[in-house]
Amino acid sequence: MLTRYHSVHADTVPAEVVVVGAGPAGLTLANLLRRNGIGCVVLERQSRRYVENRARAGLLEYRAVEMLRSHGLADRLLELGAPHGVCEFRIGGKRFILPYSDLYEGRTHYVYPQQELVKDLIEAFVDSGGDIRFEAKDVALHGISGSAPSVTWVGSDGEQHRVRCEFIAGCDGFRGVSRPSIPAGGVREFSHQPGIAWLGVLAEVPPSTEHVIYALHPKGFAGHMLRSPTVSRFFLQCPVDDSTAAWPDDRIWAELHERFAVPGSDWKLSEGRIIEKGVVDMRGHVTEPMAYGRLFLLGDAAHVITPVGAKGMNLALHDAEVLATALAGYYRGGDESGLTEYSETCLRRVWRCQEFSQWMTTAIHGTGDRFEDRTARTRLENLFRSPASAAWFAENYVGLM
């Protein structure tokens, strides 16, 4: 029997769970809760149009796709997303192809822009009768250490609203209100900055490759990521204190041409209109535990990982699945074990992905230290000499089951 709440003010709404943030973690959790008959309300600071067009990640692991498919949330993904099982490294002007899918029982990634998944999840939630409040400002969490927390916000109508609940899911990112709502000393936080940054570029141009490219170059890393048949994502290694002002479009394309170059090859990089660019923080951050009282942290609110290896969105989806399963057990039969073990369960995967991301970060980035750069190059070259190393990479890259 689900708990029922009654309004104490005219603008108060009831819910078992309040989900703060309408990104992949929050929306996946909300949909899974609806499918288990658990009442929830989603609060999102931005407008629906904004979140449905916010370009972020675009590579979904096999496990994440299977999870979404099992809950009926992957129809458009499977129709429009492109499976990929090969990546390419360019080292010393030579091309090395790694068919990681063949090395990991045929499992693949799916290339599907995050904003498209967000659109799918919003539509599924709203169509099922879900309650989502966009443009919710001044969100504040109350009573998270007690048995009856609540959340207040100012709605698009300019009025303050309150919802009483049993649990709060903080899915509002690294700079959201959820994690800072935990009292000092309530959690431990671990951070790492590798001393590099990426200039992220989104361009209206068809991909110049059929698979992801990681290029090592004396001037720094360059990456060519896939997004759609008409849009491509590129990355260029740059100083931590760099700014987009230092990167006019002509310089970006010149650097990409130079860093991707393969002498004697007929491969060519296509250019197009740059529609977005920004310096990407390569920080790693983990919060332990990922819960405090009745507040549970998911996705970037709990852990930030470098975009190397494309793990951020996939970790967020895993957090949502674990918490939804835990809450279903609690409401169906009073089983609190899943909630008690939520943080430990998620952190095992989080730290494994952090370790892989750090390995890959050191392998593909130049530091200017000749010794370190040579050992990094050897680390990558070993993937093409050692079947055991290649199999280890494939398992971690395509995602653990």
Side-chain angles (χ1 to χ4, degrees):
M1 176 68 69
L2 300 185
T3 306
R4 300 299 176 193
Y5 297 97
H6 300 282
S7 298
V8 294
H9 299 291
D11 60 359
T12 299
V13 294
E16 277 72 48
V17 182
V18 175
V19 178
V20 183
L27 291 168
T28 300
L29 175 63
N31 274 286
L32 299 186
L33 294 178
R34 289 285 299 172
R35 280 157 170 71
N36 282 282
I38 301 170
C40 67
V41 59
V42 180
L43 304 178
E44 168 56 46
R45 183 171 63 89
Q46 303 290 353
S47 68
R48 178 170 180 172
R49 180 177 181 180
Y50 180 90
V51 298
E52 289 186 340
N53 290 279
R54 179 172 49 192
R56 290 291 186 269
L59 205 60
L60 285 163
E61 294 177 349
Y62 178 86
R63 186 212 62 80
V65 173
E66 288 302 298
M67 181 272 289
L68 293 168
R69 185 208 307 261
S70 70
H71 294 288
L73 297 170
D75 291 351
R76 201 164 74 99
L77 186 164
L78 294 171
E79 177 186 354
L80 302 178
H84 282 263
V86 176
C87 64
E88 176 183 339
F89 292 91
R90 297 189 176 183
I91 309 169
K94 298 180 180 179
R95 302 172 69 179
F96 298 85
I97 305 298
L98 188 64
Y100 60 85
S101 177
D102 293 344
L103 297 168
Y104 195 31
E105 301 176 1
R107 297 180 179 126
T108 67
H109 283 112
Y110 272 77
V111 175
Y112 192 62
Q114 177 175 311
Q115 64 269 28
E116 297 303 318
L117 178 61
V118 166
K119 291 177 186 176
D120 298 344
L121 294 172
I122 289 176
E123 182 177 2
F125 185 65
V126 172
D127 287 352
S128 70
D131 185 354
I132 182 167
R133 311 294 181 94
F134 292 103
E135 299 181 72
K137 308 300 183 183
D138 300 326
V139 174
L141 283 52
H142 310 277
I144 60 175
S145 61
S147 60
S150 64
V151 181
T152 57
W153 74 96
V154 175
S156 57
D157 56 4
E159 299 293 327
Q160 187 175 71
H161 300 260
R162 177 184 295 272
V163 57
R164 297 181 182 277
C165 56
E166 282 197 284
F167 301 99
I168 300 172
C171 311
D172 51 346
F174 184 76
R175 294 179 174 84
V177 302
S178 295
R179 192 182 68 259
S181 297
I182 298 173
V187 294
R188 294 176 296 168
E189 300 192 48
F190 304 83
S191 293
H192 175 67
Q193 218 303 335
I196 57 174
W198 279 1
L199 178 75
V201 177
L202 199 64
E204 287 184 335
V205 58
S208 302
T209 176
E210 296 180 350
H211 40 254
V212 171
I213 298 175
Y214 300 98
L216 281 73
H217 189 273
K219 295 182 70 175
F221 165 80
H224 187 344
M225 313 304 172
L226 306 175
R227 286 299 179 265
S228 78
T230 60
V231 175
S232 298
R233 170 73 80 179
F234 301 96
F235 292 107
L236 286 164
Q237 181 180 346
C238 64
V240 173
D241 58 355
D242 220 340
S243 69
T244 56
W247 290 91
D249 293 1
D250 289 347
R251 183 190 177 193
I252 290 172
W253 289 117
E255 287 288 335
L256 287 171
H257 279 287
E258 183 176 1
R259 298 187 195 188
F260 283 132
V262 180
S265 169
D266 59 359
W267 183 87
K268 293 182 179 180
L269 174 67
S270 300
E271 296 185 18
R273 186 172 74 92
I274 292 177
I275 55 178
E276 179 184 297
K277 53 186 169 181
V279 176
V280 180
D281 187 352
M282 300 293 283
R283 172 209 305 99
H285 185 93
V286 179
T287 301
E288 286 193 0
M290 290 170 51
Y292 179 85
R294 292 300 182 102
L295 170 64
F296 292 83
L297 301 178
L298 293 80
D300 286 358
H303 43 74
V304 177
I305 191 167
T306 71
V308 179
K311 297 301 180 185
M313 177 169 60
N314 291 287
L315 283 173
L317 296 178
H318 180 255
D319 294 345
E321 181 185 21
V322 173
L323 184 56
T325 301
L327 287 167
Y330 172 79
Y331 280 110
R332 284 175 181 168
D335 181 2
E336 298 186 15
S337 61
L339 296 173
T340 302
E341 298 168 4
Y342 165 75
S343 182
E344 182 181 355
T345 300
C346 292
L347 284 170
R348 281 197 296 269
R349 183 176 294 266
V350 168
W351 280 115
R352 176 78 178 265
C353 289
Q354 290 282 8
E355 188 276 332
F356 176 70
S357 177
Q358 186 172 359
W359 177 92
M360 200 165 174
T361 297
T362 59
I364 65 176
H365 291 91
T367 65
D369 183 295
R370 294 176 61 192
F371 185 89
E372 290 184 0
D373 290 351
R374 192 64 186 87
T375 56
R377 175 172 169 173
T378 300
R379 187 179 300 121
L380 278 184
E381 290 174 341
N382 197 45
L383 295 179
F384 307 97
R385 297 169 178 160
S386 165
S389 294
W392 173 87
F393 175 87
E395 179 185 58
N396 283 274
Y397 187 61
V398 79
L400 304 173
M401 293 301 292

